[in-house]
Structure formats: structure tokens, C-alpha cells
Amino acid sequence: MQALQDHNTVFEHSNSWRSSADAMVLGDIFEEGVSVTVWNRPEAPLISQYYGEVFKSLGMGIRGVFSIDSLREEIATLLPGEETSIGKQAAIDDIYLLSDMLTTLFDCDSVGVRLVPLSSAMCPSFHVDNIPVRLVNTYLGEGTEWLPKESVVTSPMIGLNEANTQGLTKNRLGQRYQESSVKQMSAFDVGLLKGKSWQGHEEFAAVHRSCKVQPNTQRVLLTLDPM
């Protein structure tokens, strides 16, 4: 365990993630060394209820690139349910809100939208995305999990052997970590995750995974990519 403690000392004053109930925290993603920013926001019961009711009708979900100018109308035609449904309108408004925030933050006109109903983990292993940045938000079920940079030991490193890796888990990226160090977003939390191609700095990419989906439960995940 000493190797993990020594590694952590290097990052003692380097916070690789930020979270706040203030949406402005998302802008901290532009800070060097920050890989994850999370806007903690309360659940919207109307939206949760809507997705619970139409979960099976979502089919394979929604995937596509949409202009922010036409996104609201296009999403309205793709989401199931009555056009007069208050829950559906709230869901449309929220996707538009997050898309509008993303395009404003990254000065772009379009977003890559993926809205998927899940009955199992989509990406259950820790990984990094081969993109600049991605917004993630869970409407139903538990949220995305990630590893803070300061809690990870990269193998191989001097002094790392079987004796001092007991109690650590190894992921497919060759990193070792304590399970207790894994962070998780809650439903309706909005996260920004840096990817491998963030301004040419692969080392800033957020290491994350999909949460486990328990049997007979539902999860609805939204991801947005600035285009």
C-alpha cells in the first residue's frame, strides 16, 4: 500500500475533479489537470416518471447529430408518448437545456445525442473515450462511475510488487486502485468527462465506466458530444 500512498502525495494539491450544485462548475473542465466536473442537481420527478412509463417504447433509443436550432423539434418527434404529455415536454426541455449549455460552453452549433434505455451495463470496464469531451447524464437508475486521477497507481512503477498491491484492483488500462476510491454520479447529475483527444493531452482523459444495472431495473442514459 505504500506505493499508493507515495503516489497520492504527488497529487496532494492537484484535484482532478470538481462537483457543485452550481452549474458554473462545468466550466472548470477547461482547467489543466481537471478531468471530470459534475453539476449536482435535484431529480425532476416528471422526467423520471416519463422515462419509466415509456422505457420499453424507447426501443434502441435515439442517436444522431442535431443542430441546436432544430434539436427541440426533432427530439419531440423521436421521443415516444403524447405530444401533450407534461412529462415528455419536460424531457425535451431538459435535453435542449443541456445541449444549449454544451454548445455555449464549447462554442459550437451542433451536438451528438445518444439517449439509450439500458437493462445492463453498456461499458462495464474502466476506460477512456477517444473524443475531446463528453457530457453524461442519467435520467433513470444510477449514474456513471469514475476514478479520480489522484487515487490511481499506474503500473509498472518503482516499488510496486505483489506485497504492496494487496487490496488494490487492476483495470484493463493497467492501473491499480482501491474500490473505495471509485466515485459515482447520482441520477440527474450532469458530468463533463475529458477524452483522449482533449487538446492533445491524453493524460487528462477521465477514466470511467458504466454502473452495474441490477436485475429488473431500468437505466436511461443521455450523452452529448459537442460537434
Side-chain angles (χ1 to χ4, degrees):
M1 296 299 292
Q2 186 62 44
L4 180 62
Q5 293 167 357
D6 291 345
H7 183 75
N8 282 347
T9 301
V10 178
F11 293 92
E12 185 176 358
H13 301 290
S14 178
N15 188 3
S16 68
W17 61 278
R18 308 281 170 77
S19 67
S20 172
D22 186 343
M24 295 297 290
V25 72
L26 295 176
D28 288 357
I29 198 68
F30 290 102
E31 293 189 20
E32 184 174 343
V34 174
S35 300
V36 178
T37 58
V38 181
W39 171 27
N40 306 123
R41 60 179 188 154
E43 178 182 353
L46 274 176
I47 298 177
S48 300
Q49 181 179 350
Y50 166 74
Y51 282 119
E53 292 173 349
V54 303
F55 184 82
K56 292 183 178 179
S57 301
L58 286 170
M60 298 298 291
I62 296 172
R63 291 175 172 82
V65 176
F66 302 88
S67 165
I68 191 64
D69 293 333
S70 60
L71 181 142
R72 194 192 297 272
E73 291 74 19
E74 293 186 81
I75 293 297
T77 64
L78 295 171
L79 282 177
E82 297 293 332
E83 294 301 319
T84 56
S85 164
I86 298 176
K88 178 176 178 177
Q89 190 57 55
I92 295 168
D93 290 343
D94 198 67
I95 294 174
Y96 178 82
L97 168 69
L98 299 183
S99 299
D100 187 45
M101 292 174 64
L102 193 68
T103 55
T104 299
L105 196 59
F106 291 96
D107 192 23
C108 59
D109 299 320
S110 301
V111 289
V113 177
R114 179 176 56 174
L115 180 75
V116 287
L118 299 167
S119 298
S120 60
M122 186 166 58
C123 300
S125 300
F126 277 116
H127 64 284
V128 295
D129 292 330
N130 191 26
I131 56 172
V133 66
R134 173 165 288 161
L135 182 151
V136 297
N137 173 81
T138 301
Y139 285 122
L140 272 186
E142 298 183 21
T144 299
E145 299 177 337
W146 85 93
L147 279 173
K149 294 287 186 180
E150 52 268 31
S151 68
V152 170
V153 172
T154 302
S155 176
M157 63 182 293
I158 297 175
L160 193 64
N161 53 46
E162 290 303 318
N164 57 30
T165 59
Q166 292 183 2
L168 300 183
T169 301
K170 185 177 181 180
N171 63 27
R172 69 179 188 181
L173 300 174
Q175 302 168 332
R176 297 178 188 269
Y177 62 95
Q178 292 175 307
E179 287 291 344
S180 60
S181 67
V182 177
K183 302 293 183 181
Q184 184 172 24
M185 299 177 201
S186 299
F188 282 85
D189 281 354
V190 178
L192 283 179
L193 309 177
K194 282 179 181 173
K196 291 173 63 177
S197 55
W198 174 269
Q199 299 178 357
H201 296 287
E202 182 176 338
E203 67 272 20
F204 295 153
V207 178
H208 63 287
R209 69 183 177 190
S210 297
C211 65
K212 294 180 180 179
V213 181
Q214 300 301 325
N216 302 315
T217 60
Q218 301 169 334
R219 184 174 186 235
V220 175
L221 172 70
L222 173 73
T223 69
L224 301 174
D225 299 340
M227 307 293 287

